[in-house]
Amino acid sequence: MTLPMKLGAVIITMGNRPDELRALLDSVTAQHGDRIEVVVVGNGAPVPEVPAGVRTVELPENLGIPGGRNVGIEAFGPCGADVDALLFLDDDGLLPNRDTAELCRQAFEADPKLGIVTFRIADPDTGATQRRHVPRLRAADPMRSSRVTTFLGGANAVRTRVIAEVGPLPEDFFYAHEETDLAWRALDAGWMIDYRADLVLNHPTTAPSRHAVYHRMVARNRVWLARRNLPAPLVPLYLGVWLLLTLVRRPSRPALKAWFGGFREGWTTPCGIRRPMKWRTVWRLTRLGRPPVI
């Protein structure tokens, strides 16, 4: 008789949402099944008071989203080896259903090649899911579950064997596209990613551009993502498509200036180790509905 999968949870915080953090922690505690061990990482800020049994790590400086999450991973041993899978949850999110953890366990146990499960993010007041939170091109129906090629950073579960095999999140990204970098590496190693509409994280509707560094980071990291992961012929094609899409969206002049600054920075600064995906992975991404040119 096999033991149920052991789950952990990593939550990073800037210490400025104590009430929301406490509500999230309570919702994790309320999950059915075995207890989920939780680590809260204060990313350059003190961690607010948390319930007994929740571990905390306080970093002296803000390492960014991937850096903070990587510290949380290592709190569960090398590459998170002390648990079978890790939930990554935004500190202002909340798990409204008590069976989310059990459904994650069942999904991983049923499919040995399933490496990542991404949840549906829903506004707590309206229940609506923003189109950008459905990680596929055909995003009109957020209630349809499917295989996908990327995942949502603050609402997911990752099998720790994936991290051990392909490495952690890219810390230099700081913010934006770090999930897609990990997703592409996981897919290239033969893992699969599922979007599950029945696994819900409540999260207030927000615009990503609320972050002051949004436009620069998005552009810089898009270039790094391509340089690190794509076969050489696809790099200019992928980035050319995203340049055209950015112009079609007609951002404001300051936003466009920041975007081009980030785009230039992506070409002129080190992107980390280059490990281009196999061409069969390119074909896999294409069959899943998102060829790596968009």
Side-chain angles (χ1 to χ4, degrees), residues 44-83:
V47 176
E49 184 179 353
V50 296
V54 174
R55 289 193 287 155
T56 62
V57 180
E58 293 187 352
L59 303 177
E61 62 178 311
N62 183 354
L63 300 182
I65 293 173
R69 287 186 177 141
N70 285 345
V71 169
I73 292 169
E74 293 302 307
F76 289 93
C79 300
D82 294 345
V83 294

Short mmCIF file of all heavy atoms in Angstrom, two decimals, residues 44-83:
data_model
loop_
_atom_site.label_atom_id
_atom_site.label_comp_id
_atom_site.label_asym_id
_atom_site.label_seq_id
_atom_site.Cartn_x
_atom_site.Cartn_y
_atom_site.Cartn_z
N GLY A 44 12.82 40.13 1.71
CA GLY A 44 13.36 41.44 2.04
C GLY A 44 12.51 42.20 3.03
O GLY A 44 12.64 43.42 3.17
N ALA A 45 11.64 41.49 3.74
CA ALA A 45 10.73 42.12 4.71
C ALA A 45 10.44 41.13 5.82
O ALA A 45 10.47 39.91 5.61
CB ALA A 45 9.43 42.55 4.03
N PRO A 46 10.12 41.62 7.03
CA PRO A 46 9.73 40.71 8.11
C PRO A 46 8.44 39.97 7.76
O PRO A 46 7.57 40.51 7.09
CB PRO A 46 9.53 41.64 9.31
CG PRO A 46 10.23 42.91 8.95
CD PRO A 46 10.15 43.03 7.47
N VAL A 47 8.34 38.75 8.23
CA VAL A 47 7.12 37.96 8.03
C VAL A 47 6.13 38.33 9.13
O VAL A 47 6.47 38.32 10.31
CB VAL A 47 7.43 36.45 8.08
CG1 VAL A 47 6.14 35.64 7.98
CG2 VAL A 47 8.39 36.07 6.95
N PRO A 48 4.88 38.67 8.79
CA PRO A 48 3.87 38.93 9.82
C PRO A 48 3.66 37.69 10.69
O PRO A 48 4.11 36.59 10.36
CB PRO A 48 2.62 39.27 9.01
CG PRO A 48 3.10 39.63 7.66
CD PRO A 48 4.35 38.84 7.43
N GLU A 49 2.97 37.88 11.78
CA GLU A 49 2.68 36.76 12.67
C GLU A 49 1.92 35.67 11.92
O GLU A 49 0.98 35.93 11.18
CB GLU A 49 1.85 37.24 13.86
CG GLU A 49 1.58 36.16 14.89
CD GLU A 49 0.79 36.66 16.08
OE1 GLU A 49 0.56 37.90 16.16
OE2 GLU A 49 0.40 35.83 16.92
N VAL A 50 2.37 34.42 12.09
CA VAL A 50 1.76 33.29 11.41
C VAL A 50 1.36 32.25 12.46
O VAL A 50 1.87 32.25 13.58
CB VAL A 50 2.72 32.67 10.37
CG1 VAL A 50 3.02 33.67 9.26
CG2 VAL A 50 4.00 32.18 11.03
N PRO A 51 0.46 31.33 12.11
CA PRO A 51 0.04 30.31 13.06
C PRO A 51 1.19 29.39 13.46
O PRO A 51 2.19 29.25 12.74
CB PRO A 51 -1.04 29.54 12.29
CG PRO A 51 -1.48 30.46 11.21
CD PRO A 51 -0.29 31.27 10.84
N ALA A 52 1.05 28.76 14.61
CA ALA A 52 2.04 27.79 15.07
C ALA A 52 2.17 26.67 14.04
O ALA A 52 1.19 26.23 13.44
CB ALA A 52 1.61 27.23 16.42
N GLY A 53 3.40 26.23 13.83
CA GLY A 53 3.65 25.15 12.88
C GLY A 53 4.04 25.62 11.50
O GLY A 53 4.52 24.82 10.68
N VAL A 54 3.82 26.90 11.20
CA VAL A 54 4.24 27.45 9.91
C VAL A 54 5.68 27.93 10.03
O VAL A 54 6.00 28.72 10.91
CB VAL A 54 3.33 28.62 9.48
CG1 VAL A 54 3.86 29.28 8.21
CG2 VAL A 54 1.91 28.11 9.26
N ARG A 55 6.54 27.43 9.17
CA ARG A 55 7.95 27.85 9.19
C ARG A 55 8.12 29.16 8.43
O ARG A 55 7.38 29.42 7.45
CB ARG A 55 8.84 26.78 8.57
CG ARG A 55 8.97 25.53 9.43
CD ARG A 55 10.10 24.66 8.92
NE ARG A 55 9.75 23.99 7.68
CZ ARG A 55 10.62 23.56 6.78
NH1 ARG A 55 11.92 23.78 6.95
NH2 ARG A 55 10.22 22.95 5.69
N THR A 56 9.08 29.94 8.84
CA THR A 56 9.34 31.22 8.17
C THR A 56 10.83 31.36 7.86
O THR A 56 11.68 30.83 8.57
CB THR A 56 8.89 32.41 9.03
OG1 THR A 56 9.63 32.42 10.25
CG2 THR A 56 7.41 32.33 9.34
N VAL A 57 11.10 32.08 6.78
CA VAL A 57 12.46 32.45 6.40
C VAL A 57 12.42 33.94 6.06
O VAL A 57 11.59 34.35 5.24
CB VAL A 57 12.97 31.65 5.18
CG1 VAL A 57 14.39 32.08 4.82
CG2 VAL A 57 12.91 30.15 5.44
N GLU A 58 13.28 34.74 6.67
CA GLU A 58 13.31 36.17 6.38
C GLU A 58 14.61 36.51 5.65
O GLU A 58 15.70 36.28 6.17
CB GLU A 58 13.17 36.99 7.66
CG GLU A 58 11.80 36.83 8.30
CD GLU A 58 11.58 37.76 9.48
OE1 GLU A 58 12.55 38.44 9.91
OE2 GLU A 58 10.44 37.82 9.99
N LEU A 59 14.47 37.02 4.43
CA LEU A 59 15.63 37.37 3.61
C LEU A 59 16.00 38.83 3.84
O LEU A 59 15.11 39.69 3.92
CB LEU A 59 15.32 37.14 2.14
CG LEU A 59 14.88 35.71 1.77
CD1 LEU A 59 14.53 35.63 0.29
CD2 LEU A 59 15.97 34.70 2.11
N PRO A 60 17.30 39.15 3.89
CA PRO A 60 17.71 40.53 4.14
C PRO A 60 17.42 41.46 2.97
O PRO A 60 17.38 42.67 3.14
CB PRO A 60 19.21 40.41 4.40
CG PRO A 60 19.62 39.14 3.73
CD PRO A 60 18.45 38.23 3.86
N GLU A 61 17.22 40.90 1.78
CA GLU A 61 16.89 41.72 0.61
C GLU A 61 15.88 41.01 -0.26
O GLU A 61 15.71 39.80 -0.19
CB GLU A 61 18.16 42.04 -0.20
CG GLU A 61 18.85 40.82 -0.77
CD GLU A 61 20.05 41.18 -1.61
OE1 GLU A 61 19.93 42.07 -2.47
OE2 GLU A 61 21.12 40.57 -1.40
N ASN A 62 15.20 41.78 -1.09
CA ASN A 62 14.21 41.24 -2.00
C ASN A 62 14.92 40.54 -3.16
O ASN A 62 15.59 41.20 -3.97
CB ASN A 62 13.31 42.38 -2.52
CG ASN A 62 12.20 41.88 -3.41
OD1 ASN A 62 12.12 40.71 -3.77
ND2 ASN A 62 11.32 42.79 -3.80
N LEU A 63 14.78 39.25 -3.27
CA LEU A 63 15.41 38.47 -4.33
C LEU A 63 14.53 38.33 -5.56
O LEU A 63 14.89 37.62 -6.49
CB LEU A 63 15.80 37.08 -3.82
CG LEU A 63 16.79 37.03 -2.65
CD1 LEU A 63 17.11 35.57 -2.30
CD2 LEU A 63 18.07 37.79 -2.98
N GLY A 64 13.38 38.98 -5.55
CA GLY A 64 12.44 38.81 -6.64
C GLY A 64 11.60 37.57 -6.44
O GLY A 64 11.82 36.78 -5.53
N ILE A 65 10.61 37.41 -7.31
CA ILE A 65 9.68 36.29 -7.16
C ILE A 65 10.39 34.95 -7.32
O ILE A 65 10.27 34.08 -6.44
CB ILE A 65 8.51 36.44 -8.15
CG1 ILE A 65 7.66 37.66 -7.77
CG2 ILE A 65 7.64 35.18 -8.16
CD1 ILE A 65 6.57 38.01 -8.77
N PRO A 66 11.14 34.71 -8.40
CA PRO A 66 11.79 33.40 -8.51
C PRO A 66 12.82 33.16 -7.43
O PRO A 66 12.94 32.03 -6.91
CB PRO A 66 12.41 33.42 -9.91
CG PRO A 66 12.53 34.86 -10.27
CD PRO A 66 11.38 35.54 -9.59
N GLY A 67 13.59 34.18 -7.06
CA GLY A 67 14.58 34.01 -6.01
C GLY A 67 13.95 33.66 -4.69
O GLY A 67 14.42 32.77 -3.96
N GLY A 68 12.87 34.34 -4.33
CA GLY A 68 12.17 34.05 -3.08
C GLY A 68 11.58 32.65 -3.08
O GLY A 68 11.66 31.93 -2.08
N ARG A 69 10.99 32.25 -4.20
CA ARG A 69 10.40 30.91 -4.26
C ARG A 69 11.49 29.84 -4.21
O ARG A 69 11.28 28.77 -3.62
CB ARG A 69 9.54 30.78 -5.52
CG ARG A 69 8.24 31.56 -5.38
CD ARG A 69 7.28 31.37 -6.53
NE ARG A 69 6.03 32.11 -6.25
CZ ARG A 69 5.33 32.78 -7.14
NH1 ARG A 69 5.73 32.83 -8.40
NH2 ARG A 69 4.22 33.43 -6.79
N ASN A 70 12.63 30.09 -4.82
CA ASN A 70 13.71 29.11 -4.75
C ASN A 70 14.19 28.91 -3.32
O ASN A 70 14.53 27.79 -2.92
CB ASN A 70 14.88 29.54 -5.64
CG ASN A 70 14.60 29.33 -7.12
OD1 ASN A 70 13.66 28.61 -7.48
ND2 ASN A 70 15.39 29.95 -7.96
N VAL A 71 14.25 29.98 -2.53
CA VAL A 71 14.61 29.84 -1.12
C VAL A 71 13.58 28.96 -0.41
O VAL A 71 13.92 28.10 0.40
CB VAL A 71 14.72 31.22 -0.45
CG1 VAL A 71 14.82 31.08 1.06
CG2 VAL A 71 15.93 31.98 -0.99
N GLY A 72 12.31 29.16 -0.73
CA GLY A 72 11.26 28.34 -0.14
C GLY A 72 11.40 26.87 -0.53
O GLY A 72 11.19 25.98 0.30
N ILE A 73 11.77 26.62 -1.78
CA ILE A 73 11.99 25.24 -2.23
C ILE A 73 13.07 24.58 -1.38
O ILE A 73 12.90 23.46 -0.87
CB ILE A 73 12.38 25.22 -3.72
CG1 ILE A 73 11.20 25.65 -4.60
CG2 ILE A 73 12.85 23.80 -4.12
CD1 ILE A 73 11.58 25.90 -6.05
N GLU A 74 14.20 25.26 -1.21
CA GLU A 74 15.33 24.68 -0.50
C GLU A 74 15.03 24.49 0.99
O GLU A 74 15.70 23.69 1.66
CB GLU A 74 16.57 25.55 -0.69
CG GLU A 74 17.10 25.56 -2.11
CD GLU A 74 17.46 24.17 -2.62
OE1 GLU A 74 18.24 23.47 -1.92
OE2 GLU A 74 16.95 23.77 -3.68
N ALA A 75 14.04 25.20 1.51
CA ALA A 75 13.65 24.98 2.91
C ALA A 75 13.07 23.58 3.10
O ALA A 75 13.00 23.09 4.23
CB ALA A 75 12.62 26.04 3.33
N PHE A 76 12.69 22.92 2.02
CA PHE A 76 12.20 21.54 2.07
C PHE A 76 13.29 20.54 1.68
O PHE A 76 12.97 19.43 1.24
CB PHE A 76 10.99 21.38 1.13
CG PHE A 76 9.75 22.07 1.62
CD1 PHE A 76 9.46 23.37 1.21
CD2 PHE A 76 8.88 21.45 2.49
CE1 PHE A 76 8.31 24.01 1.65
CE2 PHE A 76 7.74 22.08 2.94
CZ PHE A 76 7.45 23.37 2.53
N GLY A 77 14.54 20.95 1.82
CA GLY A 77 15.64 20.08 1.43
C GLY A 77 16.09 20.40 0.02
O GLY A 77 15.46 21.19 -0.70
N PRO A 78 17.20 19.80 -0.42
CA PRO A 78 17.70 20.08 -1.77
C PRO A 78 16.64 19.82 -2.83
O PRO A 78 16.08 18.72 -2.90
CB PRO A 78 18.89 19.12 -1.91
CG PRO A 78 19.31 18.83 -0.51
CD PRO A 78 18.05 18.85 0.31
N CYS A 79 16.33 20.85 -3.61
CA CYS A 79 15.29 20.77 -4.65
C CYS A 79 13.94 20.34 -4.09
O CYS A 79 13.10 19.76 -4.80
CB CYS A 79 15.72 19.82 -5.78
SG CYS A 79 17.24 20.31 -6.62
N GLY A 80 13.71 20.62 -2.80
CA GLY A 80 12.43 20.29 -2.19
C GLY A 80 12.23 18.81 -1.93
O GLY A 80 11.09 18.34 -1.82
N ALA A 81 13.32 18.05 -1.78
CA ALA A 81 13.26 16.59 -1.73
C ALA A 81 12.49 16.04 -0.54
O ALA A 81 12.12 14.85 -0.54
CB ALA A 81 14.68 16.01 -1.73
N ASP A 82 12.24 16.83 0.49
CA ASP A 82 11.52 16.33 1.66
C ASP A 82 10.03 16.11 1.38
O ASP A 82 9.33 15.48 2.20
CB ASP A 82 11.66 17.31 2.84
CG ASP A 82 13.09 17.41 3.34
OD1 ASP A 82 13.91 16.53 2.99
OD2 ASP A 82 13.38 18.36 4.09
N VAL A 83 9.53 16.64 0.27
CA VAL A 83 8.13 16.45 -0.11
C VAL A 83 8.06 15.99 -1.55
O VAL A 83 9.04 16.06 -2.30
CB VAL A 83 7.30 17.75 0.08
CG1 VAL A 83 7.20 18.12 1.54
CG2 VAL A 83 7.89 18.90 -0.73
#
